[in-house]
Amino acid sequence: MSTQVPAARVAPKKGGGRRKLSLPVVLLIVAGALALVSLVRLISGAEDVTSVGQVAGALELAVPIGLAGLGGLWAERAGVVNIGLEGMMILGTWFGAWAGFQWGPWVGVLFGIIGGALGGLLHAVMTVTFGVNHIVSGVAINILAVGVTRYLSNFTFAQEPGGSSKQSPRLEEIDKITVPGLSDWMQDLQQEHWFFVSDLAGIIGGLVTGLSLLTVVALLLIPATWWILWRTAFGLRLRSCGESPVAAETLGVNVYKYKYIAVVISGGLAGLGGAFLAIVATSIYQEGQTGGRGYIGLAAMIFGNWMPGGMALGAGLFGFTDSLKLRGGAENVHAMLLLLAILLVIAACWQLYRKKYVSAVIAAACSALLFTWYALTDQVPSQFVDAAPYVTTLLVLALSAQRLRPPKADGVPYRKGEGK
């Protein structure tokens, strides 16, 4: 019997489906967004908003978020909600740091993946085999990961010089690459502070300066995930388990197997994000260093509508917001108030065009408040700077909620044999 599931039977389109954006249109939108950021930089004087260091820092902060989001995408496309991404990242940080300290950074990366995959396997056993509520299982893994890593640290890192029950000794770094010539040229252009050109140079410079080899691997995983899930028979079967597992079973798909594979891969990707934090971002394991990035990764996946490209954009947005407080801090976040106010004006005009007058009035009122806040202050309070990434998460989820389309059977209990 053929096991290939027709896409039309799994995910029928409603109302003709959403119109896809062509590549020229996407590039035009990106160019417009960059021009708007450049305009805000010129008005506010926050020259570091699109500097080479800012972009490089944003990329480094976005990678673990993106890997967690990619892990969530694999699990939820197979119909399993993975709230346990944070705990799997924590396992990845500890196992990555422990093995990295013993045998070097690349072995640490491998063990970080294994640590996260073990958390994914546990989640799969509880949700797929025993039918435990997905949210309850994920929360349990998050709590368990904290206790397990603290316990293991007492017998490992605490016995080493420079280590303790809450942190490891310093770890060896993974090599970083810089494109000679191009990097210097982009930095020179960025320092000219020209409209648009310097901002574009800052972005390109951040992508070719001090780039970790593990960052390159992480970036390649995004198109690889898209190709596997949307261009292979394996991916079609896996996604069918998240859309209609009963229909998939009637066509010969082993739903349990594909759910297990997806959730284990999900945990491995989250563990890789944790290993990245310990080995690349800080070169040390510290208790609590994930800082909720597993949850933010889940938010990035939702913002991206369960698609790799959209998830990557969401992770980049959160990484950029997080990096603002590290370089320029209050000044950079203050400039973002102006950017957000302008975006709300655009949103209000769009809602008026669609004749949604209540939404337009709300957007215009919020924009007026932000313009007033920006005009009456020179910088924002430090507490708001620290909260900026989390505020951005809430705003993005609130604004994108109306266009979301999760897999139909995401989080829905399934027992083997229902399709017979």
Side-chain angles (χ1 to χ4, degrees), residues 172-190:
E172 183 182 346
E173 295 183 0
I174 290 179
D175 292 337
K176 296 184 177 182
I177 55 175
T178 297
V179 180
L182 181 60
S183 175
D184 295 334
W185 184 34
M186 291 297 105
Q187 290 194 48
D188 292 340
L189 278 178
Q190 182 263 316

Side-chain angles (χ1 to χ4, degrees), residues 82 84-92 115-116 119-120 123 141-142 145 266-267 270-271:
N82 193 355
L85 290 169
E86 178 75 6
M88 296 168 198
M89 285 191 77
I90 292 172
L91 292 172
H123 188 51
I141 288 173
N142 292 337
S266 173

Side-chain angles (χ1 to χ4, degrees), residues 196-254:
F196 192 83
V197 174
S198 293
D199 301 280
L200 181 60
I203 292 174
I204 296 174
L207 297 175
V208 298
T209 303
L211 194 66
S212 170
L213 293 175
L214 189 55
T215 300
V216 177
V217 173
L219 293 175
L220 291 175
L221 286 173
I222 296 171
T225 291
W226 173 83
W227 184 81
I228 292 171
L229 292 183
W230 274 269
R231 287 295 182 269
T232 66
F234 167 82
L236 181 60
R237 296 185 188 110
L238 187 146
R239 287 187 293 115
S240 74
C241 297
E243 296 290 346
S244 180
V246 173
E249 184 184 4
T250 60
L251 293 171
V253 175
N254 188 332

Side-chain angles (χ1 to χ4, degrees), residues 100-334:
F101 177 70
Q102 301 289 336
W103 302 295
W106 286 108
V107 176
V109 169
L110 176 61
F111 271 75
I113 295 172
I114 293 172
L118 289 175
L121 179 61
L122 177 60
H123 188 51
V125 169
M126 290 194 291
T127 57
V128 178
T129 301
F130 293 106
V132 175
N133 181 278
H134 298 191
I135 305 299
V136 172
S137 174
V139 171
I141 288 173
N142 292 337
I143 296 172
L144 182 65
V146 174
V148 167
T149 52
R150 169 72 73 87
Y151 177 79
L152 292 175
S153 294
N154 287 325
F155 297 98
T156 53
F157 299 141
Q159 312 300 322
E160 301 290 343
S164 69
S165 62
K166 295 185 178 182
Q167 72 174 42
S168 70
R170 299 294 299 183
L171 306 173
E172 183 182 346
E173 295 183 0
I174 290 179
D175 292 337
K176 296 184 177 182
I177 55 175
T178 297
V179 180
L182 181 60
S183 175
D184 295 334
W185 184 34
M186 291 297 105
Q187 290 194 48
D188 292 340
L189 278 178
Q190 182 263 316
Q191 291 173 1
E192 296 292 337
H193 304 308
W194 294 331
F195 175 75
F196 192 83
V197 174
S198 293
D199 301 280
L200 181 60
I203 292 174
I204 296 174
L207 297 175
V208 298
T209 303
L211 194 66
S212 170
L213 293 175
L214 189 55
T215 300
V216 177
V217 173
L219 293 175
L220 291 175
L221 286 173
I222 296 171
T225 291
W226 173 83
W227 184 81
I228 292 171
L229 292 183
W230 274 269
R231 287 295 182 269
T232 66
F234 167 82
L236 181 60
R237 296 185 188 110
L238 187 146
R239 287 187 293 115
S240 74
C241 297
E243 296 290 346
S244 180
V246 173
E249 184 184 4
T250 60
L251 293 171
V253 175
N254 188 332
V255 176
Y256 275 22
K257 181 182 78 172
Y258 281 93
K259 285 180 178 287
Y260 261 88
I261 291 172
V263 179
V264 170
I265 291 176
S266 173
L269 288 168
L272 178 59
F276 185 95
L277 277 174
I279 297 171
V280 176
T282 59
S283 297
I284 192 173
Y285 162 80
Q286 292 178 312
E287 187 177 279
Q289 72 186 130
T290 55
R293 287 177 175 85
Y295 300 113
I296 298 178
L298 199 63
M301 178 207 66
I302 296 171
F303 166 79
N305 214 2
W306 289 264
M307 294 294 290
M311 184 282 305
L313 289 176
L317 172 63
F318 298 138
F320 178 76
T321 307
D322 202 9
S323 68
L324 287 175
K325 67 182 182 181
L326 302 179
R327 297 178 59 88
E331 181 184 7
N332 286 342
V333 176
H334 185 252

